[in-house]
Amino acid sequence: SRRHDVVVIGGGAAGIAVTASLLRRRGDLDIAIVEPAEMHSYQPGWTLVGGGVFSAAITRRPMADVIPDKATWYAAHAERVDPGAREVVLGDGRRLGYTRLVVAPGLVIDWGAIEGLEATLGQHGVTSNYRFDLAPYTWSLVQSLEKGRALFTQPPMPIKCAGAPQKAMYLSCDHWRRQGRLGDIEVSFCNAGEVLFGVADYVPALEHYIDRYGIETAFGHRLVEVDGPSRRARFAVKDAEGEREVERGFDMLHVVPPQKAPAFIAASQLGNEGGWLDLDPETLQHARHPAVFGLGDASGTANAKTAAAVRKQAPVVAENLLASLDDKPLLAAYLGYGSCPLTVERGRIVLAEFGYGGQLQPTFPRWVNDGTRATRRAWWLKAKQLPWLYWNGMLKGHEWLARPARRHADRDDTQTARG
Ligand code: FAD
């Protein structure tokens, strides 16, 4: 087997950002990235593709272009990890030894969990912004729908970018409103959960748009089956009257399926009860295997699963991983920051930014941007600034506005990686 100082599983937002960050701190580190995909996606852009603002093409680049030059790329998937032997086993049978491992494979979208969905995606009015090839279909459906019923679904948590199911809905409604068609289109938000958004401070601004667009909110509605040709969707409903199933017809259906951790995490003894990476929430070091760190959507930490979270996590992992290599205490702390720019209309965004426990963590002072209100400045940030910052800042290891918080050295004895 080949050995590397650091092996990184995944070349998504998290894997690339942390690799770039490590190399910026220590240029001679021998880092390998294990990633099977040929293309790297800027997924936060897909909401704007579905809203007719971005072209799909600008949300993807060849993986070879985003992998830092100094890193070694293995174009294979990680089959499992042997934390005892400190080895990663690749799908093609190769084994990579590591001194430190970073696990960043993202999450798995469980399209198959909804009966009939895979067979009908991309036709019969059934779409999802959660796939690169389908986001353009969302926009074409929005443009062509003149009247009828539009359903937008949200699965049980956790999902990546928890606001994205309703972002798709608001942008669609905004288009129909501007075209004078909204009165002829019945819009429903079928949400498996019980609230519009998990952090209460942002709910009033969102409710304002629910009212403005005349959206029916159907809480406790979990999509279980889609019949594309007959345009019917079946939901398991849980409310005060108990559990039952209901059917709803649709002309357009925007689906967000349930999401789960990659299976190899649990199979490699790296998971928590839910199968997500079992990390210390502050240091992002594995709870049981000190040579292992993790970040991104695969993490079991209680933050919002977003690229914005990754932006703050990457420097924490880089700094703590290097400290552990040097046998020093882990001093960088991640406080759970995540962000969800809620596109409530074309031109305005509610910029939700919060950490562990729903504590608000705005980047800007209130006079620059009030995150609890829909603002033009936040739209400008999302549509004009963030894509550039993603490709040229985060993926290159620049850490503007992402300096880690400090932990206290006296609390770190047990956190230091040994060996
Ligand atoms: P990913 O970027 O998904 O990358 C995971 C990588 O790991 C992939 O390249 C995959 O091929 C690879 N991989 C998987 N399994 C293996 C394996 N076994 N071995 C090796 N490699 C593997 N975030 C925001 O901050 N703001 C937003 O507005 C926003 N909107 C979003 C809208 C949509 C529609 C979607 C889908 C996401 C949105 N996000 C948003 C979330 C954001 O895209 C993710 O949180 C972010 O990409 C997480 O990074 P990651 O590296 O953990 O996962």
Side-chain angles (χ1 to χ4, degrees):
S1 80
R2 274 207 58 183
R3 275 204 87 74
H4 296 276
D5 296 334
V6 180
V7 172
V8 177
I9 298 179
I16 300 297
V18 79
T19 302
S21 179
L22 281 164
L23 287 169
R24 218 165 249 289
R25 288 178 161 79
R26 205 167 287 182
D28 60 350
L29 214 55
D30 169 15
I31 308 185
I33 298 184
V34 179
E35 166 63 68
E38 284 294 320
M39 300 296 284
H40 176 107
S41 293
Y42 176 61
Q43 300 167 41
W46 295 349
T47 293
L48 294 186
V49 174
V53 182
F54 284 177
S55 74
I58 69 154
T59 67
R60 282 225 295 198
R61 292 193 184 173
M63 192 61 74
D65 292 359
V66 299
I67 290 188
D69 291 337
K70 288 186 194 157
T72 309
W73 178 19
Y74 291 87
H77 74 275
E79 181 82 32
R80 69 189 156 82
V81 178
D82 182 344
R86 295 198 180 178
E87 277 186 346
V88 178
V89 182
L90 307 190
D92 57 18
R94 283 180 290 179
R95 288 167 171 267
L96 302 180
Y98 61 79
T99 309
R100 293 292 178 273
L101 175 69
V102 179
V103 186
L107 54 68
V108 174
I109 300 183
D110 199 356
W111 303 97
I114 296 163
E115 231 182 298
L117 177 62
E118 282 173 305
T120 193
L121 272 171
Q123 19 165 10
H124 308 299
V126 184
T127 190
S128 179
N129 285 349
Y130 276 66
R131 234 172 63 182
F132 169 79
D133 58 322
L134 293 173
Y137 184 50
T138 302
W139 178 233
S140 88
L141 289 173
V142 169
Q143 286 175 289
S144 61
L145 192 68
E146 301 275 344
K147 59 179 176 15
R149 284 183 146 195
L151 306 181
F152 293 81
T153 77
Q154 177 172 307
M157 293 293 135
I159 62 169
K160 53 179 155 186
C161 199
Q166 55 191 304
K167 294 184 204 178
M169 176 172 69
Y170 299 137
L171 287 181
S172 304
C173 288
D174 184 53
H175 181 75
W176 295 325
R177 191 180 67 92
R178 287 167 199 257
Q179 300 292 315
R181 293 184 224 153
L182 190 57
D184 298 321
I185 300 174
E186 263 179 65
V187 182
S188 301
F189 186 41
C190 300
N191 180 351
E194 300 300 335
V195 291
L196 205 47
F197 196 74
V199 182
D201 296 77
Y202 303 108
V203 171
L206 300 176
E207 276 174 343
H208 168 77
Y209 282 91
I210 293 279
D211 288 346
R212 175 200 257 204
Y213 298 133
I215 296 167
E216 174 221 7
T217 48
F219 293 109
H221 276 55
R222 183 169 58 84
L223 180 65
V224 291
E225 188 182 351
V226 180
D227 181 341
S230 63
R231 301 205 175 220
R232 301 202 66 79
R234 196 157 54 82
F235 293 87
V237 180
K238 214 176 182 175
D239 59 17
E241 294 155 42
E243 287 185 41
R244 63 187 188 285
E245 291 207 333
V246 299
E247 265 201 5
R248 286 173 175 241
F250 62 81
D251 297 283
M252 170 179 170
L253 173 66
H254 180 273
V255 180
V256 180
Q259 301 172 25
K260 59 188 185 184
F264 82 85
I265 292 177
S268 306
Q269 325 300 303
L270 297 174
N272 63 16
E273 327 75 70
W276 303 92
L277 265 180
D278 197 359
L279 302 176
D280 178 277
E282 243 180 38
T283 64
L284 304 178
Q285 184 181 41
H286 197 274
R288 299 181 301 278
H289 302 287
V292 179
F293 290 79
L295 74 167
D297 292 348
S299 310
T301 48
N303 56 279
K305 294 185 185 302
T306 56
V310 168
R311 189 170 64 79
K312 295 267 191 175
Q313 292 168 340
V316 171
V317 171
E319 202 177 308
N320 286 341
L321 185 151
L322 292 177
S324 91
L325 275 176
D326 298 343
D327 232 343
K328 296 214 173 105
L330 312 190
L331 295 182
Y334 171 60
L335 305 180
Y337 175 88
S339 163
C340 198
L342 291 140
T343 51
V344 285
E345 62 175 290
R346 193 190 264 251
R348 279 186 203 270
I349 275 178
V350 174
L351 183 60
E353 292 180 286
F354 51 91
Y356 288 139
Q359 180 214 12
L360 302 201
Q361 293 183 3
T363 300
F364 308 103
R366 205 165 243 240
W367 61 270
V368 177
N369 188 69
D370 180 355
T372 63
R373 290 178 36 235
T375 66
R376 290 190 184 283
R377 191 158 283 177
W379 175 274
W380 172 82
L381 187 73
K382 162 103 186 157
K384 300 277 188 246
Q385 304 303 312
L386 289 180
W388 188 89
L389 282 171
Y390 180 83
W391 298 111
N392 304 301
M394 192 174 130
L395 295 195
K396 300 282 189 229
H398 295 295
E399 287 151 11
W400 308 313
L401 298 172
R403 259 176 72 100
R406 314 311 309 172
R407 306 174 76 233
H408 300 289
D410 54 358
R411 280 166 52 203
D412 284 299
D413 311 332
T414 54
Q415 298 292 336
T416 309
R418 276 169 287 264

